[in-house]
Amino acid sequence: MDMKKRVSLELRHRSPAEVQELVLDNCRSSEGKIEGITEEFSNLELLSLINVGLTSVADIPKLDKLKKLELSDNRISGGLEVLAERLVNLTHLNLSGNKFKDISTLEPLKKLSQLKSLDLFNCEVTNLGDYRDSIFTLLPQLTYLDGYDADDCEASDSDGEADAVDDEGESEEFWEEEEDDDEDVVAEVDDDDSGDDEQDGAVNGEVDSEEDDEDDDEEDDEEDDDENSSPEKGQKRKREPEDEDDDEDDE
């Protein structure tokens, strides 16, 4: 994918002024030049152009707010003057894997007064015997060269650690809130269950009561039938016609 098309895709329906970070890694530049990036990206703070086939940075626009520029794994060998002229607030510059051979090709970076970190891994210039001392002498504003300071102490990542701590704290608070919510839900379910049990008990009690009433009614009916079927005490039993016929036959 060519660089212009990649820039259009990365905009995602935003205006250039709304973009603060623009990553165009592994796209293809035309004739080794920067394309599609203009001064309209006025709030851009990070620009990444890793492995895009650049041979020159001459077409980079003026970006006053740009702080970090990634240019590793290209074929740049010089022409850094334009960076000092157009990226006046640059603090991090990565030129690893390019074609810099001599310390003199890096002299234009002296004008970048805010530059704190410079990476030149896998550049031929790093093979010079006095490479590190020469760079720190040439660029006194530098704090880190290839990830280490002048005393060979590795660059700290305190900002990143602080962010990680904040994220961890937010994560813990989130999970604590989730646990509290779960406990509340469980309590509500228990209350609902106990309420259901009480309702079931009440319903069962009503059903049992109704069944008992029905049993009592049946018993009362049976007693009434027994009383109706047997003669009252002291009452003479009425003689039936069939009994009289039996007596005549006997005679």
Side-chain angles (χ1 to χ4, degrees):
M1 182 183 297
D2 64 65
M3 190 176 293
K4 283 184 178 181
K5 185 174 181 180
R6 180 68 177 276
V7 170
S8 297
L9 290 175
E10 292 295 331
L11 282 175
R12 299 186 182 93
H13 306 292
R14 297 174 295 175
S15 67
E18 295 178 278
V19 180
Q20 291 184 311
E21 296 185 0
L22 185 60
V23 178
L24 306 174
D25 301 347
N26 303 311
C27 66
R28 291 293 93 190
S29 62
S30 177
E31 299 180 355
K33 298 179 180 180
I34 295 175
E35 300 175 297
I37 305 173
T38 67
E39 293 184 6
E40 292 179 346
F41 288 86
S42 55
N43 291 305
L44 197 63
E45 296 182 3
L46 182 151
L47 175 59
S48 186
L49 296 167
I50 298 173
N51 188 35
V52 296
L54 290 179
T55 58
S56 169
V57 291
D59 295 315
I60 196 166
K62 183 175 178 61
L63 301 170
D64 289 338
K65 293 187 177 181
L66 193 71
K67 295 180 179 180
K68 188 171 184 177
L69 179 60
E70 295 279 350
L71 295 173
S72 59
D73 298 327
N74 285 290
R75 293 175 290 160
I76 304 168
S77 59
L80 300 182
E81 295 84 0
V82 67
L83 300 184
E85 295 171 1
R86 301 175 186 175
L87 309 177
V88 295
N89 289 306
L90 196 66
T91 60
H92 293 72
L93 177 60
N94 190 342
L95 296 172
S96 301
N98 279 281
K99 304 296 183 181
F100 297 98
K101 298 179 180 180
D102 303 318
I103 299 291
S104 59
T105 57
L106 302 171
E107 285 190 12
L109 300 181
K110 290 191 296 183
K111 296 180 180 180
L112 288 172
S113 59
Q114 304 297 319
L115 190 64
K116 301 300 179 186
S117 177
L118 174 64
D119 289 314
L120 292 165
F121 288 116
N122 296 326
C123 292
E124 289 187 39
V125 67
T126 62
N127 295 326
L128 299 176
D130 57 351
Y131 157 68
R132 290 186 61 82
D133 290 339
S134 297
I135 295 295
F136 278 115
T137 300
L138 177 67
L139 307 173
Q141 75 272 35
L142 272 188
T143 302
Y144 299 107
L145 175 61
D146 301 333
Y148 290 84
D149 64 15
D151 297 322
D152 287 333
C153 293
E154 190 172 3
S156 63
D157 193 18
S158 57
D159 292 339
E161 291 174 358
D163 292 341
V165 170
D166 291 341
D167 291 341
E168 183 177 355
E170 292 176 359
S171 178
E172 290 178 355
E173 291 177 359
F174 170 78
W175 286 114
E176 288 176 359
E177 292 176 357
E178 286 291 312
E179 290 175 357
D180 291 340
D181 292 341
D182 291 341
E183 292 176 357
D184 293 339
V185 171
V186 171
E188 290 177 1
V189 171
D190 291 340
D191 292 340
D192 291 341
D193 290 341
S194 62
D196 292 340
D197 292 339
E198 291 177 359
Q199 292 177 358
D200 292 341
V203 171
N204 291 334
E206 292 175 0
V207 172
D208 293 340
S209 177
E210 291 176 358
E211 290 177 352
D212 292 340
D213 292 341
E214 291 176 358
D215 293 339
D216 292 341
D217 292 340
E218 291 176 358
E219 291 176 359
D220 292 340
D221 293 338
E222 290 175 358
E223 291 176 359
D224 292 340
D225 292 339
D226 292 339
E227 290 176 356
N228 294 330
S229 61
S230 59
E232 295 180 0
K233 186 177 181 181
Q235 182 179 358
K236 187 176 180 178
R237 181 174 179 271
K238 185 178 180 180
R239 187 177 180 84
E240 298 293 338
E242 293 178 357
D243 294 338
E244 293 176 356
D245 293 338
D246 291 339
D247 291 342
E248 290 175 359
D249 292 339
D250 291 339
E251 291 176 356

